Amino acid sequence: MSPDTTIPDASPGTTAPPGDGSGGGRARGRGRRAGGRGKRRTGRWILLTLLVLVLAAGGTGYWLYNDLNSGIDDIDIDKTLGDDRPEKLPTSGQNILVLGSDSRAGANASLGTGNVSGARSDTALVLHIPEGRKKAVAVSIPRDTLVTRPACTKSDGTTVASAKRVMFNSIYSQVGPACVVKTVEQMSGVRMDHYVEIDFAGFKGLVDAIGGVTVTVDQDIHDTSSGLDLTAGTHRLDGTQALQFVRTRHGIGDGSDLGRIGLQQQFMLALLAEIKKQDLLGSPTKSYRIAKSLTQALTTDSGLGSLTKLADFGRSLNGVDPATMETIMLPVAYDRIDPNRVIAAEPNASTLWKAIRTDSTIPASAKKSPATGG
């Protein structure tokens, strides 16, 4: 295992020091981070691999561009939501809603994703990149969070009335991704500049394309639901195992979604670190496999809906080092009516969103969650 890819110990809702990743529940990652940054900064962000690929391709760039560009799906969030959105503040930096879609259809059906019909947003986080593009903050939203879903328009033009106490991850399947964006904007007051979705099959392909990702766990994890079976220690996960890792909930903590968020945060940082250390310029073929897997898995808003737009956006993030990313779980408390669900914990949640909205320092109190999944 390279020292650049080990993820140290941290808990959801706490600040991860530079170089640390956040874990969760009782299965937090533990390790060290050392080593130089290297001469190339181009590998620091997943989307930058697309730009690197085109630059490295030379005369074949146009063919590669068309091939990769055709794999990206996009939706027009601005057109769907109209003007009923929070104001974009001049100091709010960039905010991207990232969803992991757990559709059981198509290629995903063979990945052990369960027997639930339809598609849901299994993973959701708001990625906040402050002005200056030096450090990012990722706020995970537990999928079992009860929220008020605003009135939304579906892709077929029909409208869906507002509803209270709706489980967050059901909005994707019931109304669609634009409504997920609108819900997050309503609950946070933060305008989302972009939307990025990656599906399970593509996630598996991405991990396999880079040759796996190394993680360290401090206890045995045996989850018959996800299929994950790991002993305490360091493991190199292939795509299938990585998918099991980010879906595990029954083998850690109290078996709730909150413990899984810690594993997801840990893996996200490990994945970014792995891509960072790949010799992309030295291996155009490998770069192509990574970019191909990524673009086939992506659905974005129209503002990122082409290879050129993705590359331009990725280039603007060149100064962001994933090793300094802070991962926070939205502060939540167990619901008094249904203890299997959680609700936003106040005033912690509002304080967190205000800091994101105004691009200011996040107070320690805003990172504390009464419910932790431990």
Side-chain angles (χ1 to χ4, degrees), residues 271-289:
L271 176 61
L272 290 171
E274 185 67 36
I275 290 178
K276 172 187 173 183
K277 77 181 185 70
Q278 298 275 342
D279 184 17
L280 299 176
L281 290 178
S283 178
T285 301
K286 190 170 188 178
S287 298
Y288 174 75
R289 290 201 306 268

Side-chain angles (χ1 to χ4, degrees), residues 123-178:
T123 303
L125 59 88
V126 173
L127 184 63
H128 173 65
I129 305 167
E131 291 295 330
R133 307 287 203 276
K134 295 300 182 184
K135 184 178 181 180
V137 176
V139 179
S140 297
I141 302 174
R143 71 175 196 168
D144 294 339
T145 305
L146 296 177
V147 300
T148 297
R149 187 193 67 212
C152 292
T153 301
K154 300 174 70 173
S155 58
D156 61 4
T158 59
T159 58
V160 178
S162 176
K164 296 182 178 180
R165 293 181 60 81
V166 173
M167 197 162 79
F168 179 78
N169 81 322
S170 69
I171 299 172
Y172 181 96
S173 60
Q174 292 174 348
V175 194

Side-chain angles (χ1 to χ4, degrees), residues 2 13 22 66 69 76 81 171 281 321 334 356-358 373:
S2 168
S22 288
N66 283 322
N69 198 62
D76 194 336
L81 298 186
I171 299 172
L281 290 178
D321 189 339
Y334 293 111
I356 297 294
R357 187 166 59 248
T358 58

Side-chain angles (χ1 to χ4, degrees), residues 12-343:
T14 62
T15 304
D20 286 10
S22 288
R26 299 176 185 173
R28 298 179 300 221
R30 182 177 297 166
R32 300 163 303 280
R33 181 180 180 271
R37 294 187 176 186
K39 296 181 179 180
R40 298 188 180 97
R41 297 169 64 89
T42 50
R44 289 188 171 179
W45 208 257
I46 289 180
L47 297 181
L48 282 180
T49 60
L50 306 177
L51 176 62
V52 172
L53 171 65
V54 174
L55 293 176
T60 60
Y62 181 73
W63 174 80
L64 290 174
Y65 175 89
N66 283 322
D67 185 44
L68 295 173
N69 198 62
S70 63
I72 304 172
D73 294 326
D74 68 288
I75 54 177
D76 194 336
I77 297 292
D78 290 334
K79 180 179 179 181
T80 303
L81 298 186
D83 297 327
D84 186 18
R85 307 182 65 186
E87 178 185 2
K88 172 64 176 176
L89 301 178
T91 59
S92 60
Q94 288 281 306
N95 299 289
I96 304 103
L97 178 62
V98 182
L99 295 184
S101 170
D102 67 346
S103 170
R104 270 61 169 175
N108 289 331
S110 63
L111 299 180
T113 51
N115 298 316
V116 179
S117 61
R120 300 192 177 198
S121 53
D122 186 71
T123 303
L125 59 88
V126 173
L127 184 63
H128 173 65
I129 305 167
E131 291 295 330
R133 307 287 203 276
K134 295 300 182 184
K135 184 178 181 180
V137 176
V139 179
S140 297
I141 302 174
R143 71 175 196 168
D144 294 339
T145 305
L146 296 177
V147 300
T148 297
R149 187 193 67 212
C152 292
T153 301
K154 300 174 70 173
S155 58
D156 61 4
T158 59
T159 58
V160 178
S162 176
K164 296 182 178 180
R165 293 181 60 81
V166 173
M167 197 162 79
F168 179 78
N169 81 322
S170 69
I171 299 172
Y172 181 96
S173 60
Q174 292 174 348
V175 194
C179 194
V180 180
V181 174
K182 188 173 183 179
T183 301
V184 172
E185 290 187 338
Q186 176 179 273
M187 64 190 286
S188 67
V190 178
R191 185 184 180 102
M192 296 296 113
D193 298 288
H194 294 294
Y195 168 82
V196 175
E197 174 190 334
I198 184 168
D199 72 11
F200 270 129
F203 173 83
K204 175 183 178 298
L206 175 61
V207 174
D208 284 334
I210 65 175
V213 173
T214 301
V215 298
T216 299
V217 295
D218 58 10
Q219 71 171 53
D220 296 349
I221 302 177
H222 305 291
D223 187 348
T224 56
S225 295
S226 70
L228 185 67
D229 190 2
L230 295 179
T231 56
T234 299
H235 300 269
R236 185 77 174 178
L237 307 183
D238 61 19
T240 299
Q241 293 170 315
L243 185 58
Q244 294 170 341
F245 188 84
V246 299
R247 285 190 56 80
T248 287
R249 64 188 293 176
H250 300 293
I252 57 172
D254 63 1
S256 72
D257 185 55
L258 305 185
R260 171 167 51 185
I261 284 178
L263 294 183
Q264 292 173 343
Q265 291 175 339
Q266 177 188 353
F267 189 85
M268 175 180 66
L269 293 175
L271 176 61
L272 290 171
E274 185 67 36
I275 290 178
K276 172 187 173 183
K277 77 181 185 70
Q278 298 275 342
D279 184 17
L280 299 176
L281 290 178
S283 178
T285 301
K286 190 170 188 178
S287 298
Y288 174 75
R289 290 201 306 268
I290 295 173
K292 182 74 171 179
S293 297
L294 182 59
T295 54
Q296 287 181 332
L298 282 181
T299 298
T300 72
D301 67 283
S302 54
L304 295 178
S306 73
L307 191 63
T308 301
K309 293 176 181 178
L310 279 172
D312 287 344
F313 184 67
R315 184 166 49 193
S316 76
L317 304 180
N318 194 37
V320 179
D321 189 339
T324 66
M325 181 184 293
E326 183 176 14
T327 55
I328 302 170
M329 184 178 75
L330 176 69
V332 292
Y334 293 111
D335 183 55
R336 294 182 179 180
I337 299 175
D338 184 353
N340 293 316
R341 302 289 178 258
V342 294
I343 57 174

Side-chain angles (χ1 to χ4, degrees), residues 13-15 326 328 331 347-348 350-356 358 360-368:
T14 62
T15 304
E326 183 176 14
I328 302 170
N348 308 39
S350 292
T351 302
L352 171 62
W353 291 129
K354 181 179 179 180
I356 297 294
T358 58
S360 56
T361 301
I362 301 173
S365 62
K367 304 173 186 179
K368 296 179 180 179

